[in-house]
């Protein structure tokens, strides 16, 4: 909305118009595994500003209308659904920028002989809160992803090999389990 202002320069008066705008609010909630102190990024044309959610998961930004904004939450070891929301701001508040968070929990490790020789294509079994099977890659690395909080046991399949340790008992809560490594030897 144009606002008139009189400006006095060297005994002469000028009237200039300044463009002002109403501020509108983009707000929402983060629910799920993590909701407080989540970083939320608001982006417009390559520029970003950030805020953190309150204890109840709420957040808000004050913005001018008539632009398209992208809102995206971020928190370590956490995934969000949806990943981001694009908001076309018109001349009204946008109050349903809502996300659900869930932990990105996984278990990973490697199977090696000695200190460096990887054991590729080895079957690894996960039991407990979820049951899964995976195989090591060419570097001897295995990963079980998409896990929930809970208790798990990881066991490499034994046939003509023995492993140290023989298994891992893992309690996943807020962080993933890494470096769950096995060393193999042939049976004697």
């Amino acid at each position: 909305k144009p606002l008139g202002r009189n400006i006095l320069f060297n005994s002469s008066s000028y009237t200039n118009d300044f463009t002002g705008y109403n501020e509108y609010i983009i707000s929402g909630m983060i629910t799920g595994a993590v909701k407080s102190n989540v970083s939320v990024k608001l982006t417009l044309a390559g520029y970003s500003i950030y805020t953190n959610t309150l204890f109840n998961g709420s957040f808000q930004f004050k913005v001018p209308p008539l632009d398209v904004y992208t809102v995206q939450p971020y928190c370590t070891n956490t995934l969000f659904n949806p990943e981001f929301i694009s908001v076309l701001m018109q001349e009204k508040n946008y109050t349903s920028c809502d996300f659900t968070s869930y932990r990105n929990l996984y278990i990973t490790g490697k199977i090696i002989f000695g200190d460096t020789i990887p054991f590729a294509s080895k079957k690894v079994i996960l039991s407990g809160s979820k049951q899964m099977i995976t195989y090591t890659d060419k570097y001897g690395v295995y990963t079980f992803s998409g896990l929930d909080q809970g208790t798990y046991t990881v066991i490499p399949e034994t046939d003509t090999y023995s492993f140290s340790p023989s298994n891992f008992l893992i309690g996943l809560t807020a962080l993933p389990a890494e470096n769950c490594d096995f060393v193999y030897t042939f049976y004697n």
Side-chain angles (χ1 to χ4, degrees), residues 83-101:
E83 291 181 36
F84 64 90
I85 296 175
S86 293
V87 178
L88 171 61
M89 284 305 293
Q90 296 177 340
E91 293 188 357
K92 62 180 182 176
N93 294 330
Y94 187 89
T95 59
S96 59
C97 203
D98 299 331
F99 299 89
T100 302
S101 67

Side-chain angles (χ1 to χ4, degrees), residues 13-175:
S13 180
Y14 300 92
T15 300
N16 282 359
D17 285 336
F18 297 94
T19 302
Y21 59 86
N22 291 330
E23 285 187 324
Y24 292 93
I25 293 174
I26 294 176
S27 64
M29 294 286 292
I30 295 179
T31 58
V34 178
K35 59 185 181 181
S36 66
N37 207 31
V38 173
S39 179
V40 182
K41 176 172 73 170
L42 178 78
T43 304
L44 171 66
Y47 295 98
S48 299
I49 59 173
Y50 297 84
T51 191
N52 286 337
T53 56
L54 300 175
F55 70 94
N56 65 352
S58 66
F59 65 91
Q60 77 173 23
F61 295 97
K62 291 183 180 180
V63 298
L66 306 177
D67 270 313
V68 177
Y69 297 90
T70 301
V71 180
Q72 183 173 18
Y74 175 79
C75 186
T76 303
N77 295 319
T78 306
L79 300 174
F80 295 91
N81 187 18
E83 291 181 36
F84 64 90
I85 296 175
S86 293
V87 178
L88 171 61
M89 284 305 293
Q90 296 177 340
E91 293 188 357
K92 62 180 182 176
N93 294 330
Y94 187 89
T95 59
S96 59
C97 203
D98 299 331
F99 299 89
T100 302
S101 67
Y102 56 97
R103 288 290 189 189
N104 182 23
L105 295 177
Y106 59 89
I107 297 171
T108 188
K110 61 185 173 191
I111 300 177
I112 57 172
F113 179 76
D115 290 334
T116 58
I117 302 170
F119 194 148
S121 302
K122 183 64 183 160
K123 185 177 184 179
V124 185
I125 302 163
L126 179 74
S127 61
S129 299
K130 272 189 179 178
Q131 290 75 42
M132 300 171 84
I133 293 173
T134 193
Y135 292 85
T136 57
D137 65 14
K138 67 181 180 179
Y139 303 105
V141 175
Y142 69 91
T143 302
F144 296 102
S145 56
L147 302 177
D148 300 321
Q149 293 180 347
T151 302
Y152 298 90
T153 302
V154 178
I155 303 171
E157 182 181 60
T158 58
D159 36 27
T160 59
Y161 304 96
S162 67
F163 294 92
S164 178
S166 61
N167 66 64
F168 276 99
L169 180 61
I170 301 163
L172 285 181
T173 54
L175 298 174

